[in-house]
Amino acid sequence: MSETTSDQHPSHSCRGPRPSGGDVFGGMTVGEALHPKGFASRLRPGDCLGDLADALASSGRTAMGVTDEEGNVVGMVTVNDIMRAYFEGFPADRHIADWLSSGEARAPWDNLKRMVARPSDLLSEVAEKMVANALRGDCACHHVIVKEDMGHLHGVVSSHDLVSAFCHHDMWKHHPKFPDMSAPPDAEEDASLTLVRDIMKNRDRVFTCRPTDTMRSALKILLVTQQNSLLVVDEAGIYGFVTPRDAVKAYAEVESSDVTLAAWLSARPSSMEQRTIAAHARVAEAAELMTKHEVD
């Protein structure tokens, strides 16, 4: 997301529970927070990568579980897997099993144990697991797969789900531990007063590309820098963003990776308002905006 210098005063619309005992999610479990879309997102090892790209593009999810015929979890695949496969020229008709054993997968078989949670696990524990995986840097770090006690797939939790759990009142107002969360806490006690300008990247640290660059060159930057978005800009102004979701759509549509970003973005216009927020807005508001519009 980008920042603006609007004078509009930030609202108090986004409030999660105040930290209690170090748990900013107030003891909420994975099962209580799992996004409804996460339950049905599953594929088989024999399905093709093209099927995966189609499923991700149509569902809006960023990861899916892979199960065997009995429903047991055998893997997980993410939008970053599709981005890497697209960049490497991995054929869309190759099986998911081939990708998971290729050495390029972000959630390979041998790392799966580090990316598994149970419905009864605390969200705070899942967040810690994501951070630990990110620090190691050798596997997917924005998702964990949720398994039931018998080993069957329960769903996939993403970092977006954690943001949604923290921000959305609807998730808290019926929670037995937080019956009064419809009223925002006093500003002096609020744990979410951090402003966007306090954590945002300086302009010289924002990765950019030009509209004349190709999709392949943009994906190379995303892969090398491990960023999840690239600002497309030139002397005329900002054209938009490129994210791993663009790679998923391009792969699903069998689009050449040599397509220019200008051509790609012009065929898929989107509102910059959904990706723009004031520098003096609260981080919680930015999180709510990202969750509302499902942007990266």
Side-chain angles (χ1 to χ4, degrees):
M1 295 180 65
S2 61
E3 57 89 12
T4 71
T5 55
S6 168
D7 292 329
Q8 182 179 357
H9 192 277
S11 69
H12 291 262
S13 62
C14 178
R15 294 291 183 273
R18 284 166 286 184
S20 175
D23 187 347
V24 298
F25 299 103
M28 179 173 275
T29 66
V30 170
E32 292 168 331
L34 188 63
H35 193 291
K37 290 182 181 178
F39 289 99
S41 303
R42 64 190 70 191
L43 292 165
R44 300 281 188 255
D47 289 333
C48 298
L49 285 179
D51 298 326
L52 166 61
D54 287 337
L56 289 172
S58 62
S59 69
R61 294 298 288 171
T62 53
M64 291 188 174
V66 183
T67 66
D68 61 19
E69 295 298 329
E70 287 72 42
N72 298 308
V73 176
V74 296
M76 179 174 66
V77 280
T78 74
V79 292
N80 285 320
D81 285 299
I82 291 297
M83 180 170 66
R84 169 66 74 175
Y86 184 35
F87 178 79
E88 298 291 349
F90 208 82
D93 60 358
R94 292 287 295 276
H95 293 162
I96 292 174
D98 297 333
W99 176 254
L100 289 173
S101 59
S102 68
E104 300 285 358
R106 293 289 290 163
W109 313 110
D110 52 350
N111 281 346
L112 192 59
K113 290 182 179 179
R114 291 198 278 118
M115 294 172 281
V116 171
R118 304 286 182 182
S120 58
D121 289 347
L122 297 175
L123 277 187
S124 58
E125 295 173 343
V126 169
E128 291 174 0
K129 186 175 300 227
M130 288 182 179
V131 171
N133 287 338
L135 292 175
R136 291 188 57 155
D138 61 347
C139 68
C141 60
H142 294 292
H143 304 86
V144 295
I145 197 160
V146 185
K147 290 173 59 175
E148 297 173 354
D149 291 337
M150 297 300 292
H152 290 180
L153 177 67
H154 188 77
V156 174
V157 169
S158 72
S159 54
H160 281 187
D161 294 322
L162 299 188
V163 171
S164 180
F166 184 74
C167 287
H168 280 189
H169 288 158
D170 289 345
M171 187 165 283
W172 295 102
K173 64 184 179 181
H174 299 304
H175 196 286
K177 296 190 182 81
F178 301 97
D180 301 319
M181 280 310 299
S182 58
D186 184 81
E188 293 183 356
E189 299 178 2
D190 189 0
S192 59
L193 287 178
T194 303
L195 302 182
V196 170
R197 63 168 168 255
D198 297 328
I199 67 166
M200 70 182 188
K201 296 175 183 175
N202 294 328
R203 290 183 181 180
D204 59 354
R205 294 181 57 209
V206 175
F207 290 94
T208 65
C209 55
R210 300 179 68 83
T212 52
D213 291 339
T214 65
M215 178 70 78
R216 179 175 175 78
S217 63
L219 297 185
K220 182 177 181 179
I221 297 175
L222 290 176
L223 290 166
V224 170
T225 62
Q226 296 187 345
Q227 299 295 302
N228 66 353
S229 65
L230 251 175
L231 189 64
V232 184
V233 61
D234 65 8
E235 295 79 6
I238 297 174
Y239 289 73
F241 290 87
V242 173
T243 74
R245 295 194 194 213
D246 288 292
V248 169
K249 293 176 184 177
Y251 193 74
E253 296 171 13
V254 200
E255 178 69 67
S256 169
S257 61
D258 291 328
V259 63
T260 66
L261 299 179
W264 175 260
L265 292 174
S266 64
R268 297 158 185 81
S270 62
S271 173
M272 284 298 294
E273 293 181 0
Q274 297 178 0
R275 291 180 174 271
T276 305
I277 195 164
H280 60 255
R282 294 185 176 89
V283 170
E285 291 179 273
E288 185 178 39
L289 186 64
M290 293 174 70
T291 302
K292 177 180 178 181
H293 297 294
E294 296 187 334
V295 300
D296 298 315

